[in-house]
Amino acid sequence: MGMGGGSNNWVVMPSRTATGRPILANDPHLGPGLPAHWYLAHLRAPGWGIAGAAFAGTPTFAAAHNGYAAWGLTAGMVDDTDFFLEQTGPAGRSVRQGEAYVPCEVIRERIEVKGGRTVTEEVLITPRGPLVGPALWDEAGAVSLRAAWLDPRPLRGFFDLHRVRSFEEFRATFREWPALSQNMVYADVAGHAGWQLIGRAPRRRRGCGTLPLAGWDAASGWEDDPVAFEQMPYLEDPAAGFVATANNRPLVDTPVFLGVDWIDGYRQARIVEELASRSDWSVTATQALQMDVVSLPWREMRPVVLRADPVDPAAMQALALLRDWNGEITIDSPAAAVWELFLAEMAQRVAKAKAPRSYGWAIGRGFTPLLPTTTFGVRRVGHLSRLLRDQPPDWLAHPWPTEIGDALGTVVRQLRASHGEAPEGWAWGRVRSLTLRHALGARKPLDRVFNVGPVPWGGDTNTVAQAAAGIRRPAANPGIIASLRMVVDVGAWDNSRWVLPGGQSGNPLSPHYADQFPLWQRGKGIALAWSEEAVTRATRMTLRLVPDGS
């Protein structure tokens, strides 16, 4: 149900780079938190080495290289989780299965609460999975969770990447990967590149997983065997000379159903547009593309918006700003702020017109305090674009040009009320800033110790430089940003660049708590030394762990 994150990644093959070596880029998108989600490291053991970013607390390198091949990841968005409506028996220890009630396993979870009484929760495990309905808002009732990642299965994948020496070996490591779905890109020193969608995809008996079905109905549910790995889409040495993913629909058609949760394809389309425009890609140029803030939705909707019927002077002012705008969501642009608030205002209007009681869910309201948003919100821009261009009759109370003009006027009045009369005060970076937040910074005055920022920040949900805030609160602190940026010069490993929004340390008193943040803001990075010579030059301290008695 939750947002979960996003990401961009791409590979440029030797035919499109200035050096004749592949370039691999990756920027996983997660919340703007501290300490950083990732830890940069270079690890060596007899027979192998690996350098890159490990998700903090995990024993693998999800975005890295091994001296022969490099790889990066984005959320694959395969729908591997379903919910089922359940009917419980009179004693609350069974659920309906067909025309009978079958007993369920009951797990007693004992939760110790600081300063309060211990709470014991009884969790029913149905034939589909655990009952989670009581944990959802709005009294969802008996709802069970079926998820591919709840099944105990072998896990290899990232655990074997330090030894891969070909794209075939790379793909083979993920035959046993029942965890989160990912788009994996690959490049090696032999000049080969590829993409593989990984993760277990269920085979549903009916439905497409978008709405809960009746768990007691034998026609519902999943088949025992998932989609075969051989049916999962991939590309090897793409003819275009590059491959890019950004949580979009799979790049090639598949004969199997994998879900409908793909994010709007604007980021991927912009990356592809730029990659196809030149054949001299370098590390520096790739870093610049990671910072791109061009709005493709504006390009789509511009003609329609500029034909709006201005209903008052405020709407006329909005149109004047937008008419002269270049479509880049930059920090210093008042027009970008008008555009972003207009998208939110208009998306809410069209949702409320058709679903006045449930439009909050349509624009991304979540179902639990832990997951307060859904991917519905980040797909509303593509939906809005289609509506504005098609302008279906009888959708709104007023003609589309009038409604668009009224929404523009509303946005300008909001900006005047919160940021003054002069458009200079409406710069997007002033209207929407970025703060890296630590869990302990939620309370004052600890926020001044643990948090970093605010700083002006550009971009939005659909720009390559990710800064998603959501339709419901477009000017809020971004919910998702680039949690890591890496650009790997494959084969010239010391030329690669890496950066975190923050730093390596989780200690706010350390000089390395946030020392990479200025580089991250500028789209720059640091080297992650690979060669023996580079390691020697970079070394400042050495820690040796010696066994007792040696």
Side-chain angles (χ1 to χ4, degrees), residues 450-479:
F450 287 94
N451 294 349
V452 174
V455 298
W457 196 239
D460 69 6
T461 302
N462 292 301
T463 55
V464 178
Q466 174 66 265
I471 290 295
R472 295 185 302 149
R473 298 176 61 213
N477 197 54

mmCIF file of all heavy atoms in Angstrom, residues 450-479:
data_model
loop_
_atom_site.group_PDB
_atom_site.id
_atom_site.type_symbol
_atom_site.label_atom_id
_atom_site.label_comp_id
_atom_site.label_asym_id
_atom_site.label_seq_id
_atom_site.Cartn_x
_atom_site.Cartn_y
_atom_site.Cartn_z
ATOM 1 N N PHE A 450 20.017 17.599 15.286
ATOM 2 C CA PHE A 450 19.976 16.391 14.459
ATOM 3 C C PHE A 450 19.543 16.642 13.014
ATOM 4 O O PHE A 450 19.929 15.889 12.132
ATOM 5 C CB PHE A 450 19.035 15.360 15.099
ATOM 6 C CG PHE A 450 19.591 14.719 16.335
ATOM 7 C CD1 PHE A 450 19.301 15.218 17.591
ATOM 8 C CD2 PHE A 450 20.430 13.613 16.233
ATOM 9 C CE1 PHE A 450 19.815 14.621 18.733
ATOM 10 C CE2 PHE A 450 20.944 13.005 17.364
ATOM 11 C CZ PHE A 450 20.648 13.511 18.615
ATOM 12 N N ASN A 451 18.690 17.641 12.756
ATOM 13 C CA ASN A 451 18.220 17.890 11.400
ATOM 14 C C ASN A 451 19.213 18.742 10.624
ATOM 15 O O ASN A 451 19.988 19.496 11.213
ATOM 16 C CB ASN A 451 16.856 18.581 11.411
ATOM 17 C CG ASN A 451 15.758 17.702 11.977
ATOM 18 O OD1 ASN A 451 15.950 16.511 12.179
ATOM 19 N ND2 ASN A 451 14.606 18.291 12.257
ATOM 20 N N VAL A 452 19.155 18.668 9.311
ATOM 21 C CA VAL A 452 19.992 19.490 8.429
ATOM 22 C C VAL A 452 19.066 20.210 7.455
ATOM 23 O O VAL A 452 18.254 19.586 6.783
ATOM 24 C CB VAL A 452 21.019 18.634 7.666
ATOM 25 C CG1 VAL A 452 21.766 19.474 6.647
ATOM 26 C CG2 VAL A 452 21.991 17.980 8.636
ATOM 27 N N GLY A 453 19.207 21.523 7.372
ATOM 28 C CA GLY A 453 18.340 22.328 6.524
ATOM 29 C C GLY A 453 17.465 23.215 7.397
ATOM 30 O O GLY A 453 17.675 23.324 8.602
ATOM 31 N N PRO A 454 16.482 23.891 6.810
ATOM 32 C CA PRO A 454 16.027 23.741 5.418
ATOM 33 C C PRO A 454 16.925 24.453 4.424
ATOM 34 O O PRO A 454 17.593 25.430 4.759
ATOM 35 C CB PRO A 454 14.639 24.377 5.452
ATOM 36 C CG PRO A 454 14.733 25.418 6.541
ATOM 37 C CD PRO A 454 15.638 24.837 7.577
ATOM 38 N N VAL A 455 16.920 23.949 3.190
ATOM 39 C CA VAL A 455 17.598 24.587 2.069
ATOM 40 C C VAL A 455 16.601 24.677 0.914
ATOM 41 O O VAL A 455 15.720 23.828 0.782
ATOM 42 C CB VAL A 455 18.843 23.796 1.625
ATOM 43 C CG1 VAL A 455 19.868 23.732 2.753
ATOM 44 C CG2 VAL A 455 18.473 22.398 1.156
ATOM 45 N N PRO A 456 16.706 25.705 0.057
ATOM 46 C CA PRO A 456 15.838 25.757 -1.123
ATOM 47 C C PRO A 456 16.097 24.546 -2.011
ATOM 48 O O PRO A 456 17.247 24.117 -2.160
ATOM 49 C CB PRO A 456 16.264 27.064 -1.812
ATOM 50 C CG PRO A 456 17.002 27.844 -0.779
ATOM 51 C CD PRO A 456 17.634 26.843 0.130
ATOM 52 N N TRP A 457 15.041 23.991 -2.589
ATOM 53 C CA TRP A 457 15.230 22.805 -3.417
ATOM 54 C C TRP A 457 14.244 22.811 -4.573
ATOM 55 O O TRP A 457 13.094 23.225 -4.426
ATOM 56 C CB TRP A 457 15.075 21.533 -2.582
ATOM 57 C CG TRP A 457 15.634 20.330 -3.280
ATOM 58 C CD1 TRP A 457 14.977 19.189 -3.621
ATOM 59 C CD2 TRP A 457 16.980 20.165 -3.733
ATOM 60 N NE1 TRP A 457 15.832 18.325 -4.269
ATOM 61 C CE2 TRP A 457 17.067 18.892 -4.350
ATOM 62 C CE3 TRP A 457 18.111 20.966 -3.690
ATOM 63 C CZ2 TRP A 457 18.255 18.421 -4.915
ATOM 64 C CZ3 TRP A 457 19.292 20.502 -4.244
ATOM 65 C CH2 TRP A 457 19.350 19.228 -4.850
ATOM 66 N N GLY A 458 14.699 22.357 -5.747
ATOM 67 C CA GLY A 458 13.875 22.330 -6.940
ATOM 68 C C GLY A 458 13.384 20.936 -7.268
ATOM 69 O O GLY A 458 13.536 19.993 -6.501
ATOM 70 N N GLY A 459 12.795 20.813 -8.474
ATOM 71 C CA GLY A 459 12.301 19.519 -8.927
ATOM 72 C C GLY A 459 10.954 19.170 -8.336
ATOM 73 O O GLY A 459 10.411 19.862 -7.469
ATOM 74 N N ASP A 460 10.407 18.038 -8.804
ATOM 75 C CA ASP A 460 9.143 17.538 -8.290
ATOM 76 C C ASP A 460 9.072 16.033 -8.496
ATOM 77 O O ASP A 460 10.084 15.383 -8.773
ATOM 78 C CB ASP A 460 7.958 18.273 -8.918
ATOM 79 C CG ASP A 460 7.755 17.965 -10.410
ATOM 80 O OD1 ASP A 460 8.464 17.094 -10.964
ATOM 81 O OD2 ASP A 460 6.880 18.587 -11.026
ATOM 82 N N THR A 461 7.877 15.473 -8.395
ATOM 83 C CA THR A 461 7.691 14.031 -8.523
ATOM 84 C C THR A 461 8.168 13.493 -9.860
ATOM 85 O O THR A 461 8.715 12.385 -9.936
ATOM 86 C CB THR A 461 6.195 13.684 -8.369
ATOM 87 O OG1 THR A 461 5.751 14.156 -7.097
ATOM 88 C CG2 THR A 461 5.953 12.189 -8.476
ATOM 89 N N ASN A 462 7.986 14.269 -10.919
ATOM 90 C CA ASN A 462 8.202 13.762 -12.269
ATOM 91 C C ASN A 462 9.444 14.311 -12.952
ATOM 92 O O ASN A 462 9.607 14.126 -14.162
ATOM 93 C CB ASN A 462 6.960 14.054 -13.118
ATOM 94 C CG ASN A 462 5.762 13.234 -12.660
ATOM 95 O OD1 ASN A 462 5.809 12.020 -12.644
ATOM 96 N ND2 ASN A 462 4.697 13.916 -12.260
ATOM 97 N N THR A 463 10.316 14.998 -12.222
ATOM 98 C CA THR A 463 11.595 15.407 -12.790
ATOM 99 C C THR A 463 12.649 14.354 -12.468
ATOM 100 O O THR A 463 12.532 13.623 -11.478
ATOM 101 C CB THR A 463 12.047 16.771 -12.244
ATOM 102 O OG1 THR A 463 12.075 16.723 -10.810
ATOM 103 C CG2 THR A 463 11.102 17.870 -12.696
ATOM 104 N N VAL A 464 13.692 14.296 -13.303
ATOM 105 C CA VAL A 464 14.763 13.328 -13.054
ATOM 106 C C VAL A 464 15.339 13.559 -11.666
ATOM 107 O O VAL A 464 15.586 12.603 -10.917
ATOM 108 C CB VAL A 464 15.851 13.446 -14.141
ATOM 109 C CG1 VAL A 464 16.987 12.472 -13.857
ATOM 110 C CG2 VAL A 464 15.255 13.180 -15.525
ATOM 111 N N ALA A 465 15.568 14.808 -11.311
ATOM 112 C CA ALA A 465 15.967 15.141 -9.941
ATOM 113 C C ALA A 465 14.722 15.035 -9.064
ATOM 114 O O ALA A 465 13.901 15.948 -8.990
ATOM 115 C CB ALA A 465 16.550 16.547 -9.887
ATOM 116 N N GLN A 466 14.601 13.921 -8.383
ATOM 117 C CA GLN A 466 13.375 13.576 -7.651
ATOM 118 C C GLN A 466 13.213 14.443 -6.411
ATOM 119 O O GLN A 466 14.141 14.626 -5.631
ATOM 120 C CB GLN A 466 13.416 12.105 -7.255
ATOM 121 C CG GLN A 466 12.290 11.633 -6.370
ATOM 122 C CD GLN A 466 10.946 11.676 -7.065
ATOM 123 O OE1 GLN A 466 10.217 12.650 -6.917
ATOM 124 N NE2 GLN A 466 10.617 10.635 -7.815
ATOM 125 N N ALA A 467 11.998 14.991 -6.247
ATOM 126 C CA ALA A 467 11.678 15.755 -5.042
ATOM 127 C C ALA A 467 10.175 15.685 -4.802
ATOM 128 O O ALA A 467 9.480 16.697 -4.749
ATOM 129 C CB ALA A 467 12.140 17.206 -5.183
ATOM 130 N N ALA A 468 9.657 14.473 -4.666
ATOM 131 C CA ALA A 468 8.211 14.265 -4.572
ATOM 132 C C ALA A 468 7.685 14.722 -3.222
ATOM 133 O O ALA A 468 8.206 14.342 -2.179
ATOM 134 C CB ALA A 468 7.894 12.791 -4.784
ATOM 135 N N ALA A 469 6.634 15.546 -3.254
ATOM 136 C CA ALA A 469 5.944 15.925 -2.024
ATOM 137 C C ALA A 469 4.529 15.380 -1.998
ATOM 138 O O ALA A 469 3.988 15.120 -0.938
ATOM 139 C CB ALA A 469 5.922 17.443 -1.869
ATOM 140 N N GLY A 470 3.907 15.226 -3.161
ATOM 141 C CA GLY A 470 2.567 14.651 -3.208
ATOM 142 C C GLY A 470 1.512 15.686 -3.526
ATOM 143 O O GLY A 470 1.659 16.876 -3.236
ATOM 144 N N ILE A 471 0.433 15.213 -4.133
ATOM 145 C CA ILE A 471 -0.660 16.081 -4.554
ATOM 146 C C ILE A 471 -1.370 16.710 -3.363
ATOM 147 O O ILE A 471 -1.826 17.861 -3.421
ATOM 148 C CB ILE A 471 -1.662 15.267 -5.411
ATOM 149 C CG1 ILE A 471 -1.038 14.920 -6.760
ATOM 150 C CG2 ILE A 471 -2.968 16.002 -5.594
ATOM 151 C CD1 ILE A 471 -0.744 16.115 -7.635
ATOM 152 N N ARG A 472 -1.455 16.006 -2.260
ATOM 153 C CA ARG A 472 -2.232 16.521 -1.130
ATOM 154 C C ARG A 472 -1.540 17.683 -0.434
ATOM 155 O O ARG A 472 -2.192 18.588 0.081
ATOM 156 C CB ARG A 472 -2.515 15.391 -0.141
ATOM 157 C CG ARG A 472 -3.414 14.304 -0.705
ATOM 158 C CD ARG A 472 -3.766 13.274 0.348
ATOM 159 N NE ARG A 472 -2.592 12.654 0.926
ATOM 160 C CZ ARG A 472 -2.508 12.212 2.177
ATOM 161 N NH1 ARG A 472 -3.540 12.324 2.983
ATOM 162 N NH2 ARG A 472 -1.421 11.625 2.610
ATOM 163 N N ARG A 473 -0.198 17.682 -0.408
ATOM 164 C CA ARG A 473 0.554 18.762 0.241
ATOM 165 C C ARG A 473 1.776 19.090 -0.617
ATOM 166 O O ARG A 473 2.909 18.735 -0.288
ATOM 167 C CB ARG A 473 0.975 18.347 1.644
ATOM 168 C CG ARG A 473 -0.192 18.053 2.587
ATOM 169 C CD ARG A 473 0.302 17.553 3.936
ATOM 170 N NE ARG A 473 1.147 18.542 4.594
ATOM 171 C CZ ARG A 473 2.182 18.238 5.389
ATOM 172 N NH1 ARG A 473 2.513 16.990 5.591
ATOM 173 N NH2 ARG A 473 2.887 19.189 5.953
ATOM 174 N N PRO A 474 1.572 19.783 -1.732
ATOM 175 C CA PRO A 474 2.667 19.972 -2.694
ATOM 176 C C PRO A 474 3.827 20.804 -2.176
ATOM 177 O O PRO A 474 4.942 20.686 -2.688
ATOM 178 C CB PRO A 474 1.969 20.669 -3.868
ATOM 179 C CG PRO A 474 0.779 21.337 -3.268
ATOM 180 C CD PRO A 474 0.316 20.427 -2.182
ATOM 181 N N ALA A 475 3.578 21.650 -1.171
ATOM 182 C CA ALA A 475 4.653 22.501 -0.660
ATOM 183 C C ALA A 475 5.297 21.936 0.602
ATOM 184 O O ALA A 475 6.114 22.602 1.237
ATOM 185 C CB ALA A 475 4.115 23.909 -0.382
ATOM 186 N N ALA A 476 4.947 20.714 0.965
ATOM 187 C CA ALA A 476 5.533 20.094 2.155
ATOM 188 C C ALA A 476 6.975 19.667 1.882
ATOM 189 O O ALA A 476 7.431 19.642 0.734
ATOM 190 C CB ALA A 476 4.698 18.892 2.570
ATOM 191 N N ASN A 477 7.682 19.331 2.942
ATOM 192 C CA ASN A 477 9.028 18.788 2.775
ATOM 193 C C ASN A 477 8.965 17.573 1.852
ATOM 194 O O ASN A 477 8.081 16.715 2.021
ATOM 195 C CB ASN A 477 9.593 18.358 4.132
ATOM 196 C CG ASN A 477 11.091 18.164 4.116
ATOM 197 O OD1 ASN A 477 11.835 19.053 3.716
ATOM 198 N ND2 ASN A 477 11.549 16.997 4.549
ATOM 199 N N PRO A 478 9.831 17.480 0.850
ATOM 200 C CA PRO A 478 9.759 16.338 -0.071
ATOM 201 C C PRO A 478 9.727 15.014 0.680
ATOM 202 O O PRO A 478 10.493 14.802 1.627
ATOM 203 C CB PRO A 478 11.030 16.480 -0.910
ATOM 204 C CG PRO A 478 11.322 17.939 -0.890
ATOM 205 C CD PRO A 478 10.918 18.411 0.471
ATOM 206 N N GLY A 479 8.842 14.136 0.243
ATOM 207 C CA GLY A 479 8.751 12.823 0.871
ATOM 208 C C GLY A 479 9.779 11.860 0.346
ATOM 209 O O GLY A 479 10.112 10.873 1.005
#
